[in-house]
Amino acid sequence: MTDDDLDALHALLDTADPRLPLVTAGEARAAVALLAYYGRGGDEAARLARRWSANVARRLAAE
């Protein structure tokens, strides 16, 4: 993954777009688990995966 790819993904996470119901709660929990797995590293992609995982998990807990 290039720095440009990571910058683009960070920008997508920072966008204030409206929320859309695109996945089931089970699919979201599976995504959190996969993102947490990929977030175990120390590089920028892993940090992005941890951030995304935390965002989704926080929203799941609020539901």
Side-chain angles (χ1 to χ4, degrees):
M1 186 167 290
T2 69
D3 287 341
D4 289 339
D5 293 332
L6 292 169
D7 289 341
L9 289 172
H10 275 290
L12 287 173
L13 287 179
D14 292 335
T15 303
D17 288 337
R19 301 218 184 284
L20 302 174
L22 298 175
V23 298
T24 67
E27 290 169 332
R29 285 190 293 275
V32 167
L34 284 169
L35 288 166
Y37 174 80
Y38 287 110
R40 296 185 308 176
D43 62 356
E44 186 61 26
R47 284 189 284 283
L48 181 64
R50 287 192 299 273
R51 178 179 167 207
W52 191 6
S53 175
N55 288 353
V56 175
R58 187 172 45 256
R59 289 186 193 114
L60 277 171
E63 297 278 327

